[in-house]
Amino acid sequence: MAKVSPGEFVNQVQTEAKKIVWPTGRETMMTGVMVVIMTTLLGLFFFGIDTFFGAIVQWLLGVAAGRA
């Protein structure tokens, strides 16, 4: 790996920074809305799965205790 002087390094960083394309405000807002929607859906899905398996475990424990 070639050694680069601090000045050349700063120039390279500035050159690369100029290539960055930042998202527009609309793109940022849409991405944020999608994140909220997807996390809500996943939260509801896992809540349902957890409730379902919790009920099964409670039923099995009841059967094992002889209360079914």
Side-chain angles (χ1 to χ4, degrees):
M1 187 180 234
K3 296 270 184 174
V4 179
S5 70
E8 181 63 25
F9 175 75
V10 170
N11 288 337
Q12 288 177 2
V13 169
Q14 288 175 340
T15 301
E16 291 299 320
K18 289 177 185 175
K19 296 178 185 178
I20 296 173
V21 178
W22 294 100
T24 64
R26 178 173 164 74
E27 289 173 331
T28 303
M29 183 63 73
M30 291 302 292
T31 302
V33 168
M34 290 305 297
V35 166
V36 169
I37 290 170
M38 291 305 295
T39 54
T40 301
L41 290 173
L42 283 171
L44 291 171
F45 172 75
F46 285 118
F47 175 75
I49 295 295
D50 184 55
T51 302
F52 175 72
F53 282 117
I56 290 174
V57 168
Q58 289 300 319
W59 179 76
L60 289 172
L61 290 172
V63 168
R67 291 181 282 148

